[in-house]
Amino acid sequence: MIKIENLSKSYRMGPSEVSALRNASFTIENGEYVAIMGPSGSGKSTLMNLLGCLDLPTSGIYRLENQEIQNLDLNELARVRNQYIGFVFQNFNLLPRTTALENTELPLLYGRVPDSKKIALSALEKVGLAGRAGHKPNELSGGERQRVAIARAIVNNPALILADEPTGNLDTKSGTEIMTLFRNLNNEGVTIILVTHEKEIAQEARRIIRMRDGKIISDESLAKDNESC
């Protein structure tokens, strides 16, 4: 599904050039569940932005479903994001004046998908929030908001979900519920890449990629059976 080769990203800051990602290389197969760990400034967010087609590399190759992403223009990047990728963020990124159903429906509206409300309601049912479809974000708990974000991420049936610190703003109980949802989605065949600084959260994955100073320093497959957790 994903293959990156010597992927690098640099930013110009005044007279200086800062290397945020340096020669990263790895492959992620369909159905994998991968956690990316590293301290602040390690390059993990830069890597996630590149994997999510939100930015383009300075150099190197990124193949997603056999497409060379670094060669695409902005319209093609938007199409790939909408077709293949669902995003879940630490701060939920919900529109405050729209309901849970309307937030979930957004990717379908961009894609002009028929029966969008019905499909969005089905996604909310999958995360256990059909009964809260008419509520706005300020009427929902943090855990419920993140479940709406997950419903929005899965509404297009993406092959890949990218989750950036998805439990960072949640209490322990809500965080556990969110990780259960991710585990269930992965068991259904969805590829999940998760950024976290929490060791306990990373252990939910089946593989951990660790980063430091813009480089990948280790890539470890976990032997434990996560389905039994």
Side-chain angles (χ1 to χ4, degrees):
M1 175 181 220
I2 288 174
K3 185 172 185 179
I4 67 172
E5 299 177 50
N6 298 316
L7 205 67
S8 297
K9 181 66 179 181
S10 298
Y11 298 96
R12 176 68 61 179
M13 298 184 70
S16 303
E17 187 172 79
V18 177
S19 295
L21 185 69
R22 307 179 188 187
N23 297 315
S25 297
F26 58 73
T27 299
I28 295 176
E29 304 293 345
N30 282 315
E32 283 203 74
Y33 188 170
V34 181
I36 299 175
M37 296 191 73
S40 178
S42 63
K44 57 188 188 297
S45 293
T46 298
L47 176 58
M48 285 288 272
N49 285 339
L50 295 175
L51 294 178
C53 302
L54 298 171
D55 201 356
L56 289 171
T58 304
S59 62
I61 297 171
Y62 173 24
R63 293 188 181 92
L64 173 64
E65 298 288 14
N66 296 319
Q67 298 182 78
E68 294 210 356
I69 300 302
Q70 73 276 359
N71 297 329
L72 302 183
D73 63 27
L74 292 178
N75 288 332
E76 290 169 327
L77 287 173
R79 174 189 58 78
V80 168
R81 286 195 301 269
N82 201 53
Q83 182 175 357
Y84 293 110
I85 305 171
F87 296 91
V88 180
F89 301 97
Q90 179 176 354
N91 294 321
F92 320 128
N93 286 13
L94 302 178
L95 298 179
R97 297 184 180 180
T98 60
T99 65
L101 180 62
E102 291 165 338
N103 268 288
T104 303
E105 188 184 13
L106 279 174
L108 302 173
L109 297 179
Y110 292 143
R112 299 181 180 180
V113 177
D115 297 322
S116 58
K117 281 195 175 4
K118 181 179 179 181
I119 298 169
L121 185 59
S122 177
L124 283 173
E125 288 174 353
K126 193 166 187 175
V127 300
L129 276 187
R132 308 283 275 170
H135 289 68
K136 294 180 180 178
N138 64 357
E139 299 170 321
L140 302 172
S141 69
E144 287 173 334
R145 283 180 238 175
Q146 194 61 292
R147 281 194 272 165
V148 173
I150 293 173
R152 181 184 58 194
I154 65 174
V155 74
N156 268 341
N157 292 316
L160 171 65
I161 289 180
L162 299 178
D164 192 356
E165 299 282 4
T167 63
N169 284 337
L170 304 179
D171 58 49
T172 301
K173 180 177 181 294
S174 297
T176 299
E177 292 171 351
I178 294 304
M179 295 311 297
T180 298
L181 284 173
F182 283 134
R183 190 184 312 132
N184 291 342
L185 288 167
N186 181 245
N187 288 339
E188 293 172 7
V190 179
T191 305
I192 295 176
I193 303 176
L194 169 77
V195 160
T196 183
H197 67 276
E198 299 179 63
K199 184 177 179 180
E200 295 81 4
I201 297 298
Q203 291 292 327
E204 291 280 336
R206 297 187 170 134
R207 177 179 169 191
I208 299 177
I209 294 173
R210 290 182 172 85
M211 301 187 67
R212 183 178 297 145
D213 298 328
K215 297 180 180 179
I216 293 174
I217 59 172
S218 69
D219 187 344
E220 170 192 9
S221 293
L222 302 184
K224 60 181 272 187
D225 181 359
N226 290 297
E227 296 181 18
S228 63
C229 296

